[in-house]
Each structure stands twice: as C-alpha cells, then as structure tokens.
Amino acid sequence: MHENTNGTDKLIRGALFLVMGAALTVGTWSIYTLLTSRFQAPKEVAFFGAGMFDIAALFFALLSQKYAASPDSGLAPRLAMLAMVATSSWVNWTHARLEKWGLVGGVILAAAPVIAELSFEMWHRYEHREALRRQGRVPTALPVIPGLAWILFPGRSHKVMRRTVGARLSVIDKQADAAASSDDAHHIERITEPHQGITASRGNEAQQIVITLQQPQAIAASPRPGRSGAAHDAPSEAARQRSDAPPRIITVPQAAASAASLDEAPEAPHDVDFTALSKAAAVRTMRDALPDATAQQIADALAPHGITTDASYVRTVLSRASSGAPQQGTGGYL
C-alpha cells in the first residue's frame, strides 16, 4: 500500500510539471515576443523579462508550500504569487490585443499563467492537508448518519450528533486549559524568580555583634598583716600583665531582622502582577514569595491586589499543589 501511494504521488507530480511547463512556456513566449517586437528590447533583457513574473510566482509558490509543513500561515507568499500571476495574465492579454489576435488569442495567452497557478494551487492544498494530517491536526470525520435515519429517528440522530460534537469540544477545552495552565506556570516562574533571589540573598546576610573584652586595670590591694612586700608585689605584677594583654574580640551571630518578629504581618511582593494570574496561581505565587506565612496571612496579603479569598481556599490550593496531582477537567485551575 505504501509503494502504491508513492507511485501515485510520482505520477501526480509528473503531470503537475508537464502542465505547469506547458503553461509557463506559452506565457513566457508571449512576454518575450512583446518585449522584442513591440518595445525593441535586446534579446538578453527580453529573456529575463519574459520569466520575471512567472519566476517570481514560482518562487512565492515554493515558499508558500514550505509553510504547509509548519503551523505558521503562508498567506503572504500566496498573495504575492497571485499578484504575479494576475500581472502576467494581464500582460499576455494586452499583448494579444496589440497584435489584434482577437478574443480567442487573448484567452489563450492570458490563461497560460492562470493554468500554471491553479495546477500548483491544487497540489498545494493536497500537500497542506497531508502535512496537517501527519501532525495530527486534522480531526477525524464526524459519524455519517444516513438520511433515512434522520427522517425516521430525528430526535435520536440529533442526540447522537450532539453527543459526538460535545465530546470533541470537551477534549479541545481540556487541551486549551492545559496549554493555558502551562503558560501561566511559566509566567509565574519568570516573575517570581527575581524576588526569590532577593529574598534568599537577604536571608543569608550575616548580622553579627562584635564585643570587645578589655581586662580591667590592676587594683592595688592593701597589704595584709603578716605578709611580706614581695608577696604584695606579685599580684600587682600579674595584674599589670593582664592589663597589657591585647583585647579579645567575640563575634556573636544575630538573627535576621525579618525573622525577629513572627507576629508581624508579611509584606506582599511589589514586582508581581497578580491581576494577570488566576486565583489559584496567585495563591501559589504568594506562598512562594512568603513561605513562612499562614493561610490567613496569604489571604490577607492578596486582598490589596483585588483577589478575595479565605484561609480554607488557600489551604486547598496549597494542598493540591504539594500533592502534585493534576486537577481533572480544570486544566490546573480551581
């Protein structure tokens, strides 16, 4: 079956080249004769002028065919191809009128570029459809309900068709929600990454207190009875040595200022556009920006941004986000 399909494609392409070759030959001969006989143009110039419109149309046609295998629109090159074909056809028609070949001669010459364009257009539509089918972008055909069934069972036939179309719309709706959820996730990651970096850098900043300990000056003790002067001088010498010793520095780590008071309400990030996010996405974004905030604090932080919610909804969203289970039929939205 595959070999027969390839053989059929080769036959179709061969017929296409023959038809386009014949039509382009007639069209280019008409313009070449017009340039050499009427305008006395040099043969070299007439040679390039004869194929100017047709070669440009062929270029735009090939470019349009390239778009058939891509999701982008090939409307612009196809419009350019039609403009070149229309201009070439008008020039050929004018040539027949100048030579006084009558209506028949004008139709023959003017139809040449049109035939070439129509031949390629039919082939282009076939190739475009096959390319979409290979990419899975061509939906399967709807069920064929005979006309007699519509006459005998109109209600049942309508229900079958309605149910079939509804099922397809449900699949398309889920795919659209999944695509929107994926785009929303990328948007959240892009706008929250700088804020998370700033929060992490602030949390890692070392705040320390430097304490300098200086030994007190020696205090002369009053001599006690029964002790010699050398004995009284010994403590004084030790104290003098301690007073000459360099000061000792003790570094004591201190907690960050943001964690000093847990009772203070967390501040929402100012660089996030919450209006562009869904409610569930806004809750997840606020949780990422304020990881230590409670559910009620997250709900209160979203209120100034026009998002009304409560602690129960916040806990539900965070619970589903932590479990990682997809939400059926919602595309990730609540």
Side-chain angles (χ1 to χ4, degrees):
M1 182 64 67
H2 184 68
E3 294 180 357
N4 294 335
T5 303
N6 290 339
T8 304
D9 289 343
K10 290 181 179 180
L11 291 177
I12 294 176
R13 292 186 180 183
L16 173 67
F17 292 149
L18 289 177
V19 173
M20 291 187 65
L24 292 177
T25 300
V26 174
T28 53
W29 170 84
S30 175
I31 298 178
Y32 179 85
T33 306
L34 177 64
L35 292 176
T36 54
S37 62
R38 284 288 178 173
F39 301 108
Q40 286 78 38
K43 293 182 178 181
E44 294 79 5
V45 177
F47 175 78
F48 287 102
M52 179 174 59
F53 298 111
D54 296 326
I55 293 176
L58 180 61
F59 167 74
F60 290 127
L62 294 176
L63 185 60
S64 177
Q65 188 180 13
K66 287 292 185 181
Y67 277 94
S70 68
D72 300 326
S73 174
L75 179 61
R78 292 181 64 186
L79 291 178
M81 177 186 65
L82 292 176
M84 295 297 101
V85 171
T87 304
S88 178
S89 180
W90 177 80
V91 171
N92 292 342
W93 173 270
T94 304
H95 179 215
R97 301 295 292 177
L98 292 176
E99 297 292 342
K100 298 180 180 180
W101 289 339
L103 181 61
V104 176
V107 171
I108 292 176
L109 295 181
V114 176
I115 292 174
E117 189 276 333
L118 287 178
S119 300
F120 183 82
E121 180 67 17
M122 296 300 102
W123 172 253
H124 168 267
R125 288 181 178 272
Y126 170 75
E127 284 290 317
H128 181 68
R129 190 72 174 178
E130 289 299 316
L132 293 180
R133 184 174 288 106
R134 287 192 296 269
Q135 295 176 1
R137 297 171 60 186
V138 176
T140 57
L142 292 174
V144 179
I145 301 178
L148 185 59
W150 283 102
I151 296 175
L152 297 178
F153 306 98
R156 185 176 180 183
S157 300
H158 178 267
K159 289 182 180 179
V160 171
M161 188 63 65
R162 181 182 177 87
R163 187 164 59 250
T164 303
V165 176
R168 292 193 179 184
L169 287 178
S170 300
V171 174
I172 296 175
D173 189 23
K174 291 180 180 180
Q175 293 176 351
D177 288 343
S181 178
S182 178
D183 294 339
D184 199 7
H186 289 301
H187 179 67
I188 295 172
E189 182 179 359
R190 184 171 60 255
I191 63 179
T192 58
E193 184 177 3
H195 180 77
Q196 291 177 353
I198 295 174
T199 304
S201 62
R202 289 179 179 176
N204 293 332
E205 290 179 354
Q207 299 184 4
Q208 298 176 343
I209 299 177
V210 178
I211 303 177
T212 302
L213 300 181
Q214 179 69 41
Q215 296 295 339
Q217 297 291 336
I219 301 177
S222 58
R224 293 182 181 180
R227 293 199 177 182
S228 61
H232 292 294
D233 293 339
S236 177
E237 181 66 19
R240 185 184 62 79
Q241 292 178 358
R242 288 196 301 269
S243 64
D244 294 339
R248 291 183 297 170
I249 299 177
I250 300 176
T251 302
V252 180
Q254 187 179 11
S258 60
S261 178
L262 296 178
D263 297 333
E264 296 180 359
E267 184 179 359
H270 301 288
D271 55 349
V272 179
D273 185 12
F274 288 94
T275 59
L277 306 177
S278 62
K279 182 182 291 187
V283 170
R284 293 190 294 268
T285 303
M286 188 64 71
R287 189 277 311 272
D288 294 337
L290 306 174
D292 297 330
T294 62
Q296 186 61 43
Q297 288 176 339
I298 292 177
D300 296 340
L302 290 172
H305 299 278
I307 300 176
T308 304
T309 182
D310 53 10
S312 177
Y313 178 82
V314 172
R315 283 191 289 268
T316 301
V317 173
L318 298 183
S319 176
R320 294 184 179 182
S322 61
S323 62
Q327 304 174 21
Q328 296 295 335
T330 63
Y333 293 98
L334 289 179

